Amino acid sequence: MQSLAMTIGDIARSVGFATLVVVPLLVSLPFAQNDTLSKKKEPGTMHANGPFDVKVTPQDDKSDDPLLNRMTLDKHYHGDLEATGQGQMLTAGTSVKGSGAYVAIEKVSGTLKGRTGTFVLQHSGTMNNNVPQLAINIVPDSGTGQLAGIAGNMNIRIAADGKHSYEMEYTIPAE
């Protein structure tokens, strides 16, 4: 695993803070459905995983503050999720090495275990004295097509060789 001694700004400028954090997801939003009002029953929690590639491109917003940055995300997911992800990321470094934050919104378009559509991911990450926390949640009601009604979260993992992978935990109404 890469050293966590870099600042958020350093990490974001190199390959993207969101792709370097190896932490269990700390936040999972509960999603409830009233079965008496719905014709579709929720199945149990499902899991998806696989590798992904990411390209993070810094944007020149002519900011005078070098600690604030904006980047675009271009991801290609493989495995259970065959999709692309396009997004925007904002980062904030601090004067304390090893502390900072990022937020991002990413639209994922493709096929998840045979079901085609789109959904949106909301990223929120902080690093406090080199201790990272990361939450990536599926935005409620963002699913389209056969992914309508999807809810859940995602973890990102980085192998020692730098390869990226995802793990999703989600629910989706039966077709």
Side-chain angles (χ1 to χ4, degrees):
M1 189 167 95
Q2 295 181 344
S3 168
L4 293 177
M6 293 188 275
T7 67
I8 295 293
D10 293 336
I11 293 169
R13 282 186 289 279
S14 62
V15 294
F17 175 71
T19 63
L20 292 178
V21 179
V22 182
V23 177
L25 190 59
L26 299 176
V27 177
S28 177
L29 296 175
F31 294 88
Q33 178 179 4
N34 184 341
D35 286 330
T36 62
L37 299 176
S38 174
K39 294 180 183 179
K40 295 181 180 181
K41 285 192 96 176
E42 291 286 333
T45 299
M46 293 184 267
H47 300 273
N49 60 68
F52 72 93
D53 303 304
V54 61
K55 179 181 178 188
V56 178
T57 305
Q59 301 299 295
D60 186 5
D61 290 335
K62 310 270 189 250
S63 173
D64 292 335
D65 190 339
L67 296 178
L68 299 177
N69 294 284
R70 183 175 67 88
M71 291 150 213
T72 58
L73 302 171
D74 181 16
K75 292 184 179 178
H76 294 273
Y77 293 94
H78 307 287
D80 294 330
L81 175 62
E82 288 292 334
T84 59
Q86 302 294 314
Q88 299 264 332
M89 176 169 63
L90 300 174
T91 64
T94 71
S95 61
V96 176
K97 195 131 179 106
S99 293
Y102 93 95
V103 294
I105 295 291
E106 173 187 356
K107 185 173 185 179
V108 178
S109 304
T111 304
L112 175 60
K113 289 192 171 181
R115 294 177 72 161
T116 302
T118 67
F119 58 90
V120 176
L121 294 172
Q122 175 187 5
H123 301 239
S124 178
T126 58
M127 191 175 293
N128 184 354
N129 293 312
N130 296 318
V131 177
Q133 293 182 342
L134 177 62
I136 304 173
N137 292 293
I138 298 172
V139 174
D141 299 318
S142 67
T144 67
Q146 295 173 318
L147 298 176
I150 190 169
N153 57 62
M154 179 183 280
N155 275 330
I156 293 176
R157 298 202 182 277
I158 308 297
D161 64 2
K163 300 278 185 186
H164 298 77
S165 64
Y166 65 90
E167 295 176 354
M168 285 182 66
E169 186 171 278
Y170 65 99
T171 60
I172 193 164
E175 290 188 282

